[in-house]
Amino acid sequence: MKRLTLILAALVCGIVFNQLSPAASAQTSRRKAARPKVRTGSTLSPRERQFQFEYRATVREIPAGTRKFDLWIPVPHDTPFQKITALDIDSPQPYKLHTAEYGNKVLHLSLNNPAPGALTLTMRFNAVRREHIQARLRAAAHTPLLREERDPYMARWLQPDRLVPIDGKVREWAREVVDAAGAKTDLERARAIYNHVVSTVKYDKSGQGWGRGDIYYACDARRGNCTDFHAIFIGYCRALGIPARFRIGFPLPADRGAGEVSGYHCWAEFYAEGIGWVPVDASEAAKDPARREYFFGAHDENRVEFTTGRDLVLSPKQQGAPLNYFIYPYAEADGQPLAAIERTFAYRDAPRAANTNSGR
């Protein structure tokens, strides 16, 4: 009885001390404030980012004697997570806007017997980009889809690309990954593939071979950029009958402000029955392991999308081969690809007062 009395007295003293001691109370508050908030996607509203973007292309020299010159530039489009407004194009020559396969928007400029020399075209637009969170994936018990979020090109997202074949070897590799993880459903298989890619591929742009999205290169070198990461993810998914699609655009630094963008960024989505399209960004997860869980089921708002798919045929159709991907300007002189094209990209965030849902 005496021991029980002592224990009860100690508990009471501890409770009273914590309630009366300002130091203890302040220390508890600091600990709570220091704990990072975990975004689940089901309890927080998606972030938004509003910005202006400038895309400039300069053909340094149209070859003398060219009879027909063609220039194609990708144009951003609206999506459920992106709204494009105030599109303005400064061009010294007439151009037309077209819609190509997979709904991609294309600017086309064509000149007959052009004068030799340089040509610069500048495209500016405003964008609102919303964080893409697959809420059904993140909810503890998601509700079934009322309507499947399929698109008219679903069959295409099960087919190979030129640099992402779905042959026996790729199927074998994909099967080894999901079997090792004990994955049974498409969602589990895609998660196993994502974990495998993030864990075994290094974001490394040194040397040669990276950046083409060649699945055999990426699987052999185990390094590359976003194109190489997602070649493996998309190829393995498709090899197992899981629809997966490729998206490409530009990244924006997380810190708000203004500046130049050095190059493109690409990401992927796969389709899971009963859930819908699930966003993934394996290369960003590899660069920032703390966000590995986040990037399976979400794309942040720090990006702008331009085109979908690979092995692209433009509108009007180019004479050269289908483009591996379409984010930079493409030109032909008498049907031959013209490589001498400079490009610059820049962004400027909208003022904070008009961008209230963009905080990190």
Side-chain angles (χ1 to χ4, degrees):
M1 177 65 73
K2 184 177 180 180
R3 182 180 180 184
L4 177 60
T5 302
L6 291 173
I7 292 173
L8 290 174
L11 289 173
V12 171
C13 289
I15 293 171
V16 171
F17 177 80
N18 283 330
Q19 288 179 339
L20 296 180
S21 170
S25 178
Q27 186 177 18
T28 301
S29 298
R30 285 194 297 269
R31 285 174 180 170
K32 289 181 178 179
R35 293 172 184 166
K37 293 182 178 179
V38 178
R39 290 181 63 85
T40 64
S42 58
T43 59
L44 298 178
S45 299
R47 298 185 179 103
E48 282 188 354
R49 185 168 186 173
Q50 301 178 31
F51 53 92
Q52 300 171 335
F53 197 89
E54 180 181 281
Y55 182 119
R56 178 170 295 177
T58 298
V59 179
R60 293 197 295 268
E61 181 71 28
I62 299 177
T66 297
R67 291 169 295 177
K68 189 173 189 301
F69 170 80
D70 291 280
L71 173 67
W72 293 264
I73 290 176
V75 178
H77 54 267
D78 289 348
T79 76
F81 310 98
Q82 175 173 291
K83 180 68 175 178
I84 304 298
T85 60
L87 179 67
D88 178 69
I89 298 169
D90 182 7
S91 172
Q93 299 290 341
Y95 63 87
K96 292 183 179 180
L97 298 179
H98 300 268
T99 299
E101 56 187 351
Y102 317 133
N104 293 323
K105 304 295 183 182
V106 180
L107 181 153
H108 177 242
L109 184 153
S110 183
L111 300 174
N112 292 319
N113 300 311
L119 182 152
T120 297
L121 186 148
T122 304
M123 174 174 60
R124 301 180 183 90
F125 58 87
N126 294 339
V128 177
R129 180 74 192 189
R130 184 163 62 92
E131 186 180 22
H132 180 185
I133 297 174
Q134 177 46 272
R136 295 185 188 91
L137 177 65
R138 294 175 179 244
H142 65 268
T143 56
L145 284 175
L146 298 177
R147 178 174 58 85
E148 288 190 343
E149 300 171 21
R150 293 183 177 270
D151 68 27
Y153 309 105
M154 187 65 81
R156 172 64 182 91
W157 312 135
L158 285 168
Q159 297 172 2
D161 298 319
R162 284 181 301 166
L163 294 179
V164 186
I166 303 175
D167 53 24
K169 197 63 179 176
V170 171
R171 285 193 176 92
E172 178 184 343
W173 291 338
R175 179 58 58 189
E176 289 175 354
V177 168
V178 300
D179 286 350
K184 303 299 182 184
T185 67
D186 284 353
L187 182 61
E188 291 171 348
R189 293 185 182 103
R191 182 58 186 256
I193 294 168
Y194 171 84
N195 286 338
H196 169 77
V197 173
V198 174
S199 299
T200 65
V201 182
K202 181 181 179 182
Y203 192 90
D204 179 358
K205 298 192 291 185
S206 63
Q208 297 181 344
W210 63 269
R212 300 177 65 233
D214 182 332
I215 191 171
Y216 271 97
Y217 164 84
C219 287
D220 179 58
R222 310 311 296 184
R223 65 181 180 85
N225 75 344
C226 55
T227 325
D228 307 301
F229 274 77
H230 294 112
I232 302 177
F233 179 81
I234 290 173
Y236 281 16
C237 281
R238 291 177 180 178
L240 299 178
I242 303 171
R245 60 192 182 191
F246 173 93
R247 309 274 202 183
I248 193 167
F250 293 97
L252 275 66
D255 293 336
R256 292 351 186 209
E260 291 193 356
V261 178
S262 61
Y264 69 83
H265 180 53
C266 65
W267 50 93
E269 297 167 331
F270 71 92
Y271 189 84
E273 294 289 345
I275 294 178
W277 286 102
V278 178
V280 298
D281 197 327
S283 59
E284 286 299 291
K287 289 193 290 183
D288 187 357
R291 304 186 76 196
R292 178 168 170 168
E293 290 299 315
Y294 172 83
F295 280 117
F296 185 85
H299 290 145
D300 61 29
E301 75 282 14
N302 303 316
R303 63 191 69 206
V304 57
E305 181 178 316
F306 272 68
T307 57
T308 300
R310 298 181 61 178
D311 297 345
L312 295 175
V313 175
L314 305 179
S315 181
K317 185 179 183 298
Q318 72 270 33
Q319 292 191 42
L323 301 188
N324 187 19
Y325 45 79
F326 184 41
I327 189 61
Y328 294 145
Y330 175 75
E332 291 181 346
D334 294 329
Q336 298 300 311
L338 188 63
I341 305 177
E342 296 176 351
R343 66 246 180 173
T344 60
F345 316 106
Y347 74 96
R348 178 178 297 277
D349 279 286
R352 281 286 183 178
N355 199 15
T356 57
N357 195 30
S358 61
R360 274 279 166 193

